[in-house]
Amino acid sequence: MDFTFDWGRAARTGLPEAVLCSAKSPAQIAEILAAARVRGARLLLTRLEPAAFAALDEPARAGVDYDPLSRTAVLGGEVALSGPRVAVVAAGTSDLPVAREAVRTLEFNGHGASLVADVGVAGLWRLMERIEEIRACRVVIAVAGMEGALFSVLGGLVAAPVIAVPTSVGYGVAEGGKAAMTSALASCAPGVVAVNIDNGFGAACAALKMLGAAARGEG
């Protein structure tokens, strides 16, 4: 099968295309990896479940750095990272898969990130113990499920823009992340914007564009 892959996206938008693996077969993923190798291109794969990665043959897995927590994989080796200008703040350990997806996306694009985990509003003192570290960053990605209160709390504590990532962690009325999404959209804290539920990749891409605009002196 001949896949159409947008190899020119980075030149147009500043961000390379990533491979969403959730609806692709191992054979399709292997073909995309082979095409990247022919071009000598680096590649980020998202939503790659451990079983799907294990189903790839050895040639397809060769040289691929796979992280089962975030379900991301990178082909093409490491790049030098800039100092952490983005803080990825996760409310609970259950939110770490989404937070790690954001961190891995930033690192793929050459930006180090400071991951601050388990600082949700149920343990607010833990957040305050690390607030200066978070304030030192240019952009904050806040990752939270349940009622999503962390978004507004951070919005009221930091000068940087806050990108809210609701997660599907929760039960009852919070099940599926819709309560957290509503909290993000209804936040009274100025400077809070939101991406889709569980979209750590999208939040990282938004942060990268914010950093790029700041570097160009725009906005």
Side-chain angles (χ1 to χ4, degrees):
M1 184 180 296
D2 184 21
F3 286 96
T4 300
F5 195 83
D6 191 357
W7 298 108
R9 182 177 296 185
R12 294 194 316 274
T13 70
L15 296 173
E17 184 174 4
V19 180
L20 177 65
C21 297
S22 55
K24 293 180 176 64
S25 69
Q28 291 169 333
I29 296 168
E31 186 171 343
I32 294 171
L33 287 166
R37 289 187 174 97
V38 168
R39 286 177 168 265
R42 297 179 69 246
L43 199 61
L44 173 66
L45 300 93
T46 66
R47 306 297 173 96
L48 180 59
E49 298 291 344
F53 179 71
L56 296 173
D57 59 24
E58 185 59 35
R61 292 199 306 269
V64 174
D65 174 31
Y66 180 63
D67 176 31
L69 179 60
S70 64
R71 298 175 299 163
T72 60
V74 173
L75 173 69
E78 298 180 354
V79 296
L81 300 180
S82 67
R85 294 186 290 171
V86 180
V88 179
V89 185
T93 53
S94 297
D95 301 307
L96 279 175
V98 177
R100 281 286 300 162
E101 181 182 72
V103 169
R104 292 265 291 177
T105 301
L106 291 165
E107 291 178 344
F108 176 79
N109 287 278
H111 289 264
S114 177
L115 178 59
V116 179
D118 201 19
V119 291
V121 295
L124 198 55
W125 69 93
R126 293 194 291 266
L127 175 64
M128 298 312 297
E129 287 174 349
R130 302 191 66 179
I131 195 62
E132 294 306 323
E133 176 185 348
I134 297 168
R135 284 174 173 158
C137 294
R138 298 290 300 273
V139 182
V140 176
I141 296 174
V143 184
M146 297 298 287
E147 80 286 8
L150 181 65
F151 310 139
S152 290
V153 170
L154 278 170
L157 290 173
V158 301
V162 175
I163 303 170
V165 189
T167 73
S168 52
V169 173
Y171 53 89
V173 296
E175 187 173 2
K178 291 185 178 179
M181 172 62 85
T182 299
S183 292
L185 296 174
S187 175
C188 66
V192 175
V193 297
V195 297
N196 201 6
I197 297 166
D198 291 337
N199 192 9
F201 168 78
C205 289
L208 288 165
K209 289 206 167 190
M210 290 177 181
L211 292 172
R216 294 189 300 270
E218 300 172 2

